[in-house]
Amino acid sequence: KVRSAVLHVLEEIGNESILPVLMVGMSFRHVAVRKEAADVLVNLAQERKIDVAQAVIWLLRSNDKDLRRMAADLVNRVKDPDNNLWPKLISFLRDEDWWVRERVMDALIKMAGTQLTKYIVAHLTDGSAVVRRFFVEVLRRLKDPKALGTLVQLARDDEDWWVRERAVEAMAATEDKRAIPYIIDLMSREPDLQIVSIVALMEMKAKESLPRVAELLNSEDEDVRMEALECIGALGDKSMGSALKRYTNDNDARFRERTNEILRLWGYSIDAGGEEGNQSLSFLDRLLLSVVKAEGDDLLLTPDRRPSLKRMGTVQSVINTNLSAQQIRGLIM
């Protein structure tokens, strides 16, 4: 009762001088006291008698997970019809530790959405790569097409590779088709951005990029080749078959296997040597030929798993696609 009376007095005083004492109440071990203190804070904030931003930051600094959750709840409960709260929270993003930055940004994105974009863009010229990394990640989450120009510039010119990669990811996240030519250009010009650019084009379902992606099948970087192949497999169709058929005997076993698998899924028949074979050969026959070529002992077909072969007591996949019970039954029958 005494503590409740104290909180009532603090609410009657109703200005920012009460915040230090109110924080003591909000960190008290009894749930009822903590809740009442939070209610006082919310009431005063809604009546515009105090600036709740500082109180929220204080709570977010706490090591007590319940207090951190209370801070998130406060941000959700406090109404901000005049957009006075979230601009003040922005000022704390530079000075707090990473956990606080992340939680505050979570709240800001929920409260302000793409209204944040112009404030975030202003921080992307900061001399600290760590700061730029944080804010480009925010743009990725905002998915605002209005940030496209800034993201293109970052991807081209920033000195930090991490910032450049995240900028490409953020371009894809906007789902703005205007980003596609820029990503293709970055993929062609910047070796360090090839993989992230291919993934971005795949996420954007940019089929128009496939001829340029196919050029990277000749890359000296094995990871780039595989990512380009996966992109073609995901977005392509039989029209890309001629681009892939030349790699059915590739020296890289992993690349060759995946190439042949994609061609089979598109309806091409590939013999055990990798060349296009007898069109009448069944899929089961082709699987068995793959086992023979690998000197395997058994072909294992299990529902919802990849077809596998057993050789000398070890098991390895024949293809990278799971087969359903119905598909296996069809093969066998």
Side-chain angles (χ1 to χ4, degrees):
K1 290 181 179 179
V2 171
R3 297 181 188 109
S4 179
V6 169
L7 290 170
H8 178 71
V9 170
L10 293 177
E11 186 170 9
E12 288 297 318
I13 294 172
N15 59 49
E16 294 188 0
S17 68
I18 71 166
L19 283 175
V21 184
L22 192 57
M23 291 302 100
V24 175
M26 296 184 73
S27 61
F28 203 74
R29 62 184 180 276
H30 290 290
V31 175
V33 176
R34 293 155 68 117
K35 183 180 182 304
E36 189 172 353
D39 289 341
V40 170
L41 181 62
V42 170
N43 292 339
L44 293 176
Q46 291 177 338
E47 294 172 8
R48 304 184 184 187
K49 293 182 177 179
I50 64 170
D51 180 0
V52 74
Q54 184 65 57
V56 169
I57 295 299
W58 285 353
L59 291 172
L60 286 170
R61 285 175 173 169
S62 173
N63 292 324
D64 186 327
K65 67 178 182 180
D66 292 327
L67 283 181
R68 297 197 297 270
R69 291 173 182 174
M70 185 182 294
D73 181 59
L74 283 172
V75 173
N76 290 325
R77 290 170 62 191
V78 174
K79 305 300 180 183
D80 191 25
D82 299 325
N83 289 330
N84 289 325
L85 175 57
W86 66 262
K88 294 178 181 178
L89 288 174
I90 287 177
S91 65
F92 293 100
L93 290 174
R94 294 289 304 276
D95 300 325
E96 305 299 332
D97 62 52
W98 71 270
W99 196 98
V100 171
R101 289 198 303 268
E102 293 289 342
R103 301 293 78 76
V104 171
M105 187 51 66
D106 289 343
L108 283 171
I109 290 174
K110 184 174 181 179
M111 293 170 67
T114 56
Q115 294 181 81
L116 293 171
T117 299
K118 65 179 181 180
Y119 296 93
I120 301 306
V121 166
H123 290 281
L124 291 172
T125 57
D126 192 277
S128 169
V130 174
V131 172
R132 298 198 306 278
R133 290 175 186 179
F134 174 72
F135 285 105
V136 76
E137 176 65 19
V138 176
L139 288 183
R140 188 186 67 81
R141 293 175 59 186
L142 288 174
K143 304 177 182 181
D144 187 356
K146 294 194 295 293
L148 185 58
T150 298
L151 293 169
V152 171
Q153 184 176 354
L154 280 177
R156 285 176 173 172
D157 302 331
D158 200 273
E159 297 177 355
D160 185 79
W161 68 269
W162 198 99
V163 172
R164 297 172 71 201
E165 281 205 350
R166 289 299 177 272
V168 174
E169 292 177 353
M171 290 165 66
T174 66
E175 299 182 353
D176 189 329
K177 296 298 183 182
R178 294 176 300 170
I180 293 174
Y182 294 108
I183 298 175
I184 293 174
D185 182 66
L186 289 166
M187 179 183 69
S188 303
R189 294 173 178 269
E190 305 291 342
D192 292 342
L193 296 180
Q194 285 178 338
I195 290 179
V196 70
S197 296
I198 294 169
V199 173
L201 293 169
M202 187 159 43
E203 290 177 352
M204 297 185 76
K205 297 179 173 57
K207 287 192 173 186
E208 63 269 38
S209 71
L210 288 178
R212 300 294 295 276
V213 172
E215 295 174 5
L216 297 179
L217 295 174
N218 296 317
S219 173
E220 295 180 359
D221 188 320
E222 294 180 3
D223 293 331
V224 170
R225 296 184 75 209
M226 283 302 301
E227 206 62 61
L229 182 61
E230 292 297 339
C231 181
I232 292 172
L235 302 183
D237 50 36
K238 286 187 176 182
S239 65
M240 296 299 299
S242 58
L244 293 189
K245 283 166 60 177
R246 69 187 66 175
Y247 300 101
T248 55
N249 284 315
D250 195 84
N251 292 330
D252 185 327
R254 184 172 66 115
F255 187 87
R256 180 178 65 246
E257 177 184 335
R258 182 61 179 140
T259 299
N260 293 337
E261 180 183 342
I262 291 171
L263 287 171
R264 291 188 188 105
L265 291 174
W266 290 349
Y268 289 86
S269 181
I270 309 297
D271 69 14
E275 297 293 341
E276 192 168 8
N278 188 346
Q279 294 295 327
S280 64
L281 205 62
S282 73
F283 185 42
L284 179 57
D285 286 335
R286 295 198 297 271
L287 291 175
L288 289 168
L289 283 171
S290 297
V291 175
V292 172
K293 181 183 177 183
E295 299 181 352
D297 302 313
D298 300 288
L299 173 65
L300 308 179
L301 300 177
T302 308
D304 301 318
R305 292 183 180 273
R306 299 174 181 177
S308 302
L309 64 86
K310 185 169 70 173
R311 180 178 58 187
M312 303 294 289
T314 63
V315 175
Q316 65 186 59
S317 298
V318 178
I319 63 174
N320 292 326
T321 302
N322 293 345
L323 296 182
S324 67
Q326 183 178 0
Q327 288 173 314
I328 292 175
R329 186 177 294 108
L331 288 178
I332 296 172
M333 296 303 292

